[in-house]
């Protein structure tokens, strides 16, 4: 008889915390900031150091937390942090160091409105930061965009799997809507933390101490010889191409007969689902295309989509960021317009429908 699934009602931020413990995370290092503070608060309440041995540390700053992740992940451990937009901005130096040194780690960004300190209300204004690297140099971060509390839980383990598979930082790019909303969640089953012996076997690149039978491991993103640094960069670019080939994820709704498409991610996609329903009631054949991975971005799929529809509306809670990637993918095949709200204002479904009607006409 199949064991009954554990279903609970919780916030997206709380789901991140529960999933981290259950997926065998070794350490969480973070700093509170609205609207994601419930992540570390929930971990503090659950006290995983007494059950699984997972360490939870409130660092003195976002800079400290990212370098704690760097250190733990450099030893082959499953390490993660979470923050919101200004805090993630502070972490960019550590993230680019990890990308350059090919150290896996997981970061959660529960976005808020900007620029600067901005507002504590939801936003999707960090799309460029997440998908263009965010720090210095030519690098990419794997980016997963949940649109439900369930996906907040599911994507923690997936982010770790992808991070370690490709030895690359991975980000869960959420926002204040998903972080604060409450939904029913099926929590993942418990996965035991790896033993030190398993870490050494699975992560030969990690800094786990030097036995007599192997060379010393040095983890760094620094290389003073340009010809060697170029080869490192070329190897990174080849890795990103493999990620683009193998890890694209997306979802489509009512696209079979659609004459128009709304492209949206995260909480905007949740709102757009209702917009599709309203538009179809008005006789407009429209469907929803939701990128789940923002890097790798579903370029080929949107290119194919653009050959089948008359127009594309990109709905996002920012001034227009993902729309640029959609336009690049469509390559002029159809008109691509954008609708967004700013300052932490979340659009109504009817506003998206009105923008769609404007595109249609």
């Amino acid at each position: 008889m199949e064991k009954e699934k554990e279903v609970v009602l919780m916030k997206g931020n709380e789901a991140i915390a529960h999933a981290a413990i259950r997926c065998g995370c070794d350490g969480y290092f973070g700093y509170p900031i609205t609207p994601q503070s419930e992540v570390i608060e929930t971990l503090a309440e659950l006290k995983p150091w007494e059950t699984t041995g997972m360490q939870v540390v409130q660092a003195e700053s976002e800079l400290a937390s990212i370098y704690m992740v760097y250190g733990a992940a450099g030893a082959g451990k499953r390490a993660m942090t979470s923050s919101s937009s200004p805090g993630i901005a502070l972490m960019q130096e550590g993230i680019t160091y990890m990308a350059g040194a090919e150290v896996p780690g997981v970061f959660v960004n529960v976005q808020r409105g900007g620029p600067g300190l901005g507002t504590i209300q939801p936003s999707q204004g960090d799309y460029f930061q997440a998908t263009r690297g965010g720090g210095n140099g030519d690098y990419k971060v794997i980016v997963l965009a949940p649109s439900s509390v369930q996906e907040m839980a599911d994507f923690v383990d997936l982010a770790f799997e992808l991070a370690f598979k490709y030895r690359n930082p991975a980000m869960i790019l959420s926002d204040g809507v998903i972080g604060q909303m409450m939904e029913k969640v099926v929590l993942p089953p418990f996965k035991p933390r790896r033993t030190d012996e398993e870490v050494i076997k699975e992560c030969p690149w990690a800094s786990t101490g030097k036995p007599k039978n192997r060379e010393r491991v040095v983890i760094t993103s620094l290389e003073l010889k340009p010809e060697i640094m170029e080869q490192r960069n070329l190897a990174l670019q080849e890795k990103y191409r493999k990620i683009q080939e193998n890890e694209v994820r997306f979802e489509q709704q009512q696209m079979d007969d659609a004459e128009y498409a709304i492209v949206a991610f995260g909480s905007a996609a949740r709102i757009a689902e209702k917009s599709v329903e309203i538009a179809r009631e008005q006789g407009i054949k429209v469907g929803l295309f939701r990128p789940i991975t923002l890097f790798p971005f579903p370029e080929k799929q949107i290119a194919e989509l653009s050959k089948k529809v008359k127009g594309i509306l990109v709905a996002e809670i920012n001034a227009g960021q993902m729309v640029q990637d959609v336009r690049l993918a469509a390559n002029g095949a159809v008109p691509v317009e954008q609708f967004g709200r700013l300052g932490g204002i979340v659009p109504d479904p009817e506003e998206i429908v009105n923008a769609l009607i404007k595109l249609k006409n």
Side-chain angles (χ1 to χ4, degrees):
M1 183 176 177
E2 186 179 350
K3 186 179 179 181
E4 189 174 343
K5 293 180 179 178
E6 188 174 355
V7 183
V8 291
L9 180 68
M10 63 174 58
K11 286 185 177 184
N13 291 335
E14 295 168 335
I16 290 284
H18 282 268
I21 298 169
R22 287 167 171 262
C23 78
C25 182
D26 296 297
Y28 171 94
F29 312 96
Y31 189 79
I33 180 175
T34 307
Q36 67 80 50
S37 297
E38 290 89 353
V39 178
I40 193 169
E41 289 170 357
T42 303
L43 287 168
E45 182 181 8
L46 295 173
K47 299 180 180 179
W49 53 89
E50 296 179 355
T51 53
T52 70
M54 173 185 173
Q55 298 301 300
V56 178
V57 177
Q58 179 177 319
E60 64 267 32
S61 68
E62 288 88 354
L63 266 72
S65 64
I66 191 62
Y67 284 111
M68 289 178 182
V69 173
Y70 191 175
K77 298 293 186 178
R78 281 189 159 203
M80 68 178 291
T81 187
S82 65
S83 190
S84 186
S85 305
I88 295 292
L90 287 169
M91 295 182 187
Q92 291 307 314
E93 180 185 68
I95 295 174
T96 185
Y97 282 11
M98 292 180 69
E102 295 191 88
V103 173
V106 171
F107 321 100
V108 183
N109 183 358
V110 183
Q111 298 168 90
R112 55 190 265 180
L117 286 175
T119 176
I120 63 173
Q121 305 303 323
S123 172
Q124 293 181 326
D126 300 349
Y127 177 92
F128 280 159
Q129 181 197 66
T131 59
R132 268 61 179 175
N136 63 292
D138 293 301
Y139 76 98
K140 295 283 189 181
V141 172
I142 298 167
V143 184
L144 299 167
S147 70
S148 66
V149 176
Q150 183 65 60
E151 286 187 337
M152 289 281 265
D154 294 343
F155 286 179
V156 175
D157 193 43
L158 175 59
F160 272 119
E161 287 182 12
L162 294 174
F164 275 81
K165 179 179 180 179
Y166 293 100
R167 284 182 58 189
N168 202 75
M171 177 178 285
I172 297 174
L173 187 67
S174 184
D175 60 63
V177 172
I178 308 298
Q180 293 294 326
M181 71 188 294
M182 298 188 77
E183 289 184 317
K184 288 191 295 184
V185 183
V186 177
L187 291 174
F190 276 97
K191 179 189 295 185
R193 290 176 53 230
R194 294 166 302 157
T195 64
D196 288 344
E197 291 74 19
E198 287 171 330
V199 169
I200 291 170
K201 183 179 179 181
E202 294 174 17
C203 306
W205 48 266
S207 179
T208 53
K210 184 190 179 304
K212 293 181 180 179
N213 61 350
R214 78 166 192 186
E215 291 297 316
R216 180 177 286 106
V217 171
V218 178
I219 294 178
T220 181
S221 60
L222 176 67
E223 177 52 61
L224 298 181
K225 293 181 179 179
E227 60 275 15
I228 298 178
M229 195 68 222
E230 182 180 45
Q231 291 307 310
R232 277 197 191 179
N233 270 273
L234 291 172
L236 288 175
Q237 295 304 314
E238 180 58 30
K239 176 172 70 175
Y240 303 145
R241 278 190 286 274
K242 288 181 180 178
I243 294 172
Q244 184 72 55
E245 289 172 10
N246 300 323
E247 305 299 344
V248 170
R249 289 167 170 80
F250 62 94
E251 179 185 71
Q252 296 186 88
Q253 295 182 25
Q254 301 194 58
M255 286 303 306
D256 290 342
D257 65 339
E259 296 179 351
Y260 294 88
I262 298 174
V263 179
F265 72 94
S267 60
R270 288 287 292 265
I271 299 164
E273 286 183 27
K274 183 64 176 178
S275 302
V276 168
E277 180 184 325
I278 295 170
R280 282 191 170 263
E281 289 173 355
Q282 297 179 15
I284 304 171
K285 292 183 178 179
V286 60
L288 174 65
F289 184 98
R290 177 172 76 97
I292 295 173
T293 50
L294 303 183
F295 176 77
F297 191 70
E299 299 170 4
K300 293 180 181 178
Q301 291 77 12
I302 290 178
E304 287 300 313
L305 171 67
S306 66
K307 298 174 184 176
K308 302 173 183 177
V309 297
K310 299 177 181 178
I312 297 173
L313 178 69
V314 179
E316 45 187 338
I317 310 174
N318 56 40
Q321 297 188 22
M322 184 175 68
V323 65
Q324 295 196 19
D325 286 333
V326 175
R327 283 175 176 149
L328 286 170
N331 197 26
V334 290
V336 177
E337 299 297 335
Q338 192 262 1
F339 174 80
R341 296 299 302 270
L342 301 169
I345 295 177
V346 178
D348 293 326
E350 290 81 6
E351 292 181 285
I352 297 174
V353 174
N354 291 336
L356 179 66
I357 292 170
K358 186 182 293 185
L359 168 66
K360 182 174 176 289
N361 295 334

